[in-house]
Amino acid sequence: QVRLAESGGGSVQAGGSVRLTCSISGVSVNSACMGWFRQAPGKKREEFATAMIGNAGTEYDDSVKDRFTVSRDNTLNAMYLQMNDLNPDDTAIYSCAADTVRTGSDGTSCFRRDFMFRYWGQGTQVTVSS
C-alpha cells in the first residue's frame, strides 16, 4: 500500500524559507513519478513541480522556478521541497503525490496533471505573511 505524508508546513514572513518533507512508503521515491501541488484559498489545485524518474530531473512551473527546489533521499525514501524567497501568493495547502505511470521514449518522464497521480499525502499548510 502506498502512503505519503507531508510535514514541515507553518507560518513564515515574506522573504523567508520553508522546507517540506514528503515521507513515502510502498513505492521507491527514485522509481516513481513524484509531484508537488498546492491549493490556495478559493483557487484550484495547481501543479508546480514534477520530479521525473531517477536522475531525469525536475520540471518547475515559472511561478516557482529559481525559488523552489525539489530533492530526494533514496535512503530515507523521502522527497523534499525547499522554498525560498516566499511571498504571500505562495500561501496554500501543499501536497505531495506519487504514481508509477511513466511516459516518454525512455520511460523516465512523468505526467504533470493532478489527475495522473493516484497516491496523495494529506497536505500541509504554508502561510506567508507580508
Side-chain angles (χ1 to χ4, degrees):
Q1 187 173 5
V2 179
R3 294 181 185 272
L4 293 84
E6 303 90 345
S7 60
S11 298
V12 64
Q13 289 194 327
S17 299
V18 171
R19 187 190 193 214
L20 303 182
T21 298
C22 177
S23 301
I24 304 139
S25 62
V27 66
S28 168
V29 69
N30 195 48
S31 61
C33 290
M34 304 296 303
W36 281 103
F37 297 79
R38 64 184 180 181
Q39 186 166 18
K43 295 187 177 180
K44 293 175 60 177
R45 183 166 58 192
E46 63 168 341
E47 67 275 11
F48 62 87
T50 304
M52 305 302 167
I53 302 296
N55 297 320
T58 301
E59 292 188 2
Y60 298 92
D61 186 83
D62 287 344
S63 62
V64 305
K65 202 171 185 179
D66 300 327
R67 298 189 300 125
F68 292 8
T69 303
V70 173
S71 60
R72 288 183 281 203
D73 187 320
N74 297 333
T75 301
L76 296 178
N77 210 39
M79 177 176 66
Y80 306 99
L81 176 65
Q82 178 67 43
M83 303 187 289
N84 299 327
D85 193 23
L86 287 161
N87 61 68
D89 289 340
D90 295 315
T91 295
I93 296 174
Y94 285 72
S95 301
C96 60
D99 206 280
T100 54
V101 175
R102 308 177 180 188
T103 186
S105 58
D106 60 357
T108 62
S109 296
C110 303
F111 296 101
R112 299 198 61 188
R113 295 298 303 276
D114 56 356
F115 57 79
M116 293 302 296
F117 287 84
R118 286 175 289 173
Y119 310 110
W120 290 82
Q122 81 286 355
T124 186
Q125 177 72 45
V126 174
T127 302
V128 184
S129 58
S130 57

